[in-house]
Every structure is written in structure tokens, then in C-alpha cells.
Amino acid sequence: MSENIFFNPGDSIASDFDFENAYVAAQIYHHKAAKPVLIAQEKDGKPYFIFDEATAIAEEHAKAKEFSVVKRLK
């Protein structure tokens, strides 16, 4: 089951082409900020982005891109 969500790529905390590196960065941010964090990817072959879940955009607009949620850290 895939969940799609809109983000402004400029709001990302970090990004990496390797999932394991992205996951470590997400865990560190999640531990420090104590906020839900998402690892998302625009499409296969693109880098993984780490976002604070609160920065999600409810609907598409000019600066937003659609991402698929790969992993959620609550």
C-alpha cells in the first residue's frame, strides 16, 4: 500500500540515494526533535528525502511535489 503526500522539496531535512543512510538521518532527527518523521521518495531511482511530517502540504501547489512515503517514524 502506497501513501502519496505533497511536500516542498526545500523543506526536507536531508536526502540521500541510499535508503540506509537516509534512515539513519531520519532516526537522528526523530530522536532529537521528538516529532514524526517521514522518509519519502519522488519515484524509483530518485533520492530518499526526510521530512518532518508537520511540513506536509494538504494539496498540490506550485512549489510542492508528490512523494511516496517509504517509512514513517512516529
Side-chain angles (χ1 to χ4, degrees):
M1 183 171 93
S2 171
E3 177 185 359
N4 293 329
I5 194 161
F6 291 96
F7 285 105
N8 176 350
D11 290 338
S12 69
I13 297 160
S15 67
D16 202 301
F17 279 95
D18 181 58
F19 176 78
E20 294 302 321
N21 289 342
Y23 185 63
V24 168
Q27 287 178 312
I28 291 168
Y29 179 81
H30 177 65
H31 179 71
K32 288 182 178 183
K35 295 180 180 180
V37 177
L38 300 175
I39 301 174
Q41 190 175 32
E42 191 175 354
K43 60 183 174 180
D44 287 339
K46 297 282 186 172
Y48 295 94
F49 287 88
I50 294 89
F51 292 104
D52 183 325
E53 191 171 30
T55 62
I57 299 169
E59 56 189 55
E60 185 177 4
H61 64 76
K63 293 183 180 180
K65 288 189 175 184
E66 186 175 2
F67 291 88
S68 297
V69 175
V70 177
K71 181 110 176 138
R72 174 178 270 126
L73 287 83
K74 292 185 177 188

